[in-house]
């Protein structure tokens, strides 16, 4: 569809993931889709980049201008959907926005099998981080995830039909109505295929964060209390938050912006004023 938007599609689960295929098929109905996605699973890598590393090396990138690498190759392979990138979701976004011609009008990331909910998740999730990376590069974007908690069975492209259709509708509507003049990126989460969606809701990311650690039988362990609470329906989130919406079988759309907010404080002013030069 040459007269529609040019869409860069990526994910963090790898180019063969069924959620990516579902989005590619659905987004093709509204525009031209080009896929640059990791060759393999890169879930939860956040906004990490492979910049400064040679493929296969485990060494840390060189430090200092005399050893700095100002350009780094990004190995890739052709794929029937586009390009399989030996890198992270953010690698895919940076390369796609810089190398594709014409330049993409919008970036879509997903669809992730598993919800990405809460403010603490935004920079941890590879899916949301790809959308955030695009926003920092002045390109509007949408991160799309589907809650699979409690879902039994395999996931196919058809399992992602609802979030894929919503993503296409949202991209088309937001571009047509200049929504991206005020919104940098969206974090979208839908209920899974094993549940019936009751409504669509504009939300804000929950600020509740309940990870903790312990020592059990001499081993360190991490505990995600929020997932436990979601499983039994007892989450502490307020109405209007993304996690509360998903628990109520509503699709959550969080309109978000970058950059991170800076906070002023009089005590910090005194610190820098009094610190010896």
């Amino acid at each position: 569809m040459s007269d529609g938007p040019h869409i860069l599609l990526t994910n963090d689960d790898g180019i063969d993931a069924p959620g990516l295929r579902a989005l590619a098929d659905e987004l093709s109905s509204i525009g031209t889709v080009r896929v640059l996605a990791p060759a393999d699973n890169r879930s939860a890598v956040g906004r990490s980049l492979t910049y400064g590393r040679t493929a296969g090396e485990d060494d840390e990138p060189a430090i200092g201008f005399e050893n700095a690498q100002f350009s780094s190759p990004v190995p890739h392979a052709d794929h029937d959907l586009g390009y399989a990138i030996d890198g992270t979701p953010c690698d895919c976004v940076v390369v796609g926005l810089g190398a594709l011609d014409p330049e993409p009008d919008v970036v879509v990331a997903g669809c992730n099998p598993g919800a990405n909910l809460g403010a603490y998740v935004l920079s941890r999730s590879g899916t949301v981080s790809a959308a955030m990376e695009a926003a920092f590069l002045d390109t509007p974007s949408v991160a799309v995830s589907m809650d699979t908690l409690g879902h039994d069975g395999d996931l196919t492209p058809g399992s992602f039909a609802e979030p894929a259709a919503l993503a296409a509708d949202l991209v088309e509507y937001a571009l047509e109505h200049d929504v991206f003049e005020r919104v940098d990126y969206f974090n979208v989460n839908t209920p899974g295929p094993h549940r019936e969606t009751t409504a669509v809701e504009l939300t804000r990311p929950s600020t509740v964060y309940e990870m903790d650690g312990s020592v059990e039988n001499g081993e360190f362990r991490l505990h995600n209390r929020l997932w436990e609470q979601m499983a039994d329906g007892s989450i502490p989130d307020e109405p209007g938050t993304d996690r509360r919406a998903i628990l109520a079988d509503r699709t959550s759309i969080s309109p978000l912006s970058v950059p991170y907010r800076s906070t002023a404080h009089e005590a910090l002013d005194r610190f820098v004023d009094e610190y010896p030069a």
Side-chain angles (χ1 to χ4, degrees):
M1 188 171 172
S2 58
D3 57 344
H6 290 273
I7 303 167
L8 170 60
L9 176 60
T10 192
N11 71 350
D12 71 352
D13 297 294
I15 197 165
D16 291 315
L20 182 82
R21 177 74 64 172
L23 276 175
D25 292 343
E26 192 68 39
L27 291 170
S28 294
S29 68
I30 66 164
T32 300
V33 179
R34 288 169 294 178
V35 175
L36 274 76
D40 52 16
N41 192 308
R42 297 295 180 100
S43 295
V45 297
R47 291 186 59 216
S48 63
L49 296 168
T50 57
Y51 174 75
R53 296 178 184 271
T54 301
E57 285 189 356
D58 293 326
D59 296 334
E60 290 296 320
I63 298 175
F65 282 113
E66 68 278 6
N67 296 316
Q69 300 179 44
F70 299 109
S71 179
S72 182
V74 181
H76 68 278
D78 291 341
H79 189 279
D80 69 290
L81 285 177
Y83 297 102
I85 304 296
D86 184 12
T88 68
C90 286
D91 286 333
C92 297
V93 171
V94 174
V95 170
L97 292 180
L100 294 179
D101 185 25
E103 184 176 336
D105 300 303
V106 63
V107 172
V108 178
C111 180
N112 194 70
N116 281 302
L117 304 166
Y120 76 95
V121 161
L122 298 179
S123 58
R124 176 182 295 166
S125 159
T127 303
V128 183
S129 291
M132 190 183 298
E133 190 75 21
F136 273 107
L137 293 171
D138 296 321
T139 303
S141 54
V142 181
V144 190
S145 304
M146 183 179 71
D147 181 28
T148 55
L149 189 64
H151 174 75
D152 294 323
D154 295 332
L155 293 171
T156 67
S159 306
F160 295 87
E162 182 177 333
L166 175 70
D169 290 340
L170 180 60
V171 167
E172 191 170 41
Y173 184 90
L175 291 173
E176 180 181 349
H177 292 84
D178 299 321
V179 174
F180 287 118
E181 290 183 359
R182 297 285 300 275
V183 175
D184 292 330
Y185 70 106
F186 289 99
N187 185 32
V188 176
N189 287 273
T190 72
H194 57 300
R195 294 156 58 191
E196 182 177 350
T197 302
T198 59
V200 177
E201 180 180 349
L202 288 178
T203 62
R204 64 187 184 279
S206 172
T207 57
V208 177
Y209 183 44
E210 295 191 3
M211 289 283 290
D212 60 53
S214 65
V215 178
E216 298 179 13
N217 299 320
E219 293 183 341
F220 293 122
R221 299 187 66 84
L222 287 172
H223 305 274
N224 192 329
R225 305 300 181 190
L226 289 169
W227 283 112
E228 293 177 0
Q229 292 162 350
M230 282 192 70
D232 63 21
S234 63
I235 61 171
D237 302 293
E238 298 177 353
T241 56
D242 50 4
R243 203 157 39 227
R244 174 61 62 184
I246 286 295
L247 192 64
D249 292 329
R250 296 191 293 268
T251 287
S252 164
I253 301 178
S254 294
L256 302 170
S257 62
V258 298
Y260 300 116
R261 184 177 62 185
S262 179
T263 301
H265 197 287
E266 291 180 1
L268 292 176
D269 292 337
R270 292 194 301 272
F271 174 81
V272 297
D273 289 342
E274 298 171 1
Y275 198 81

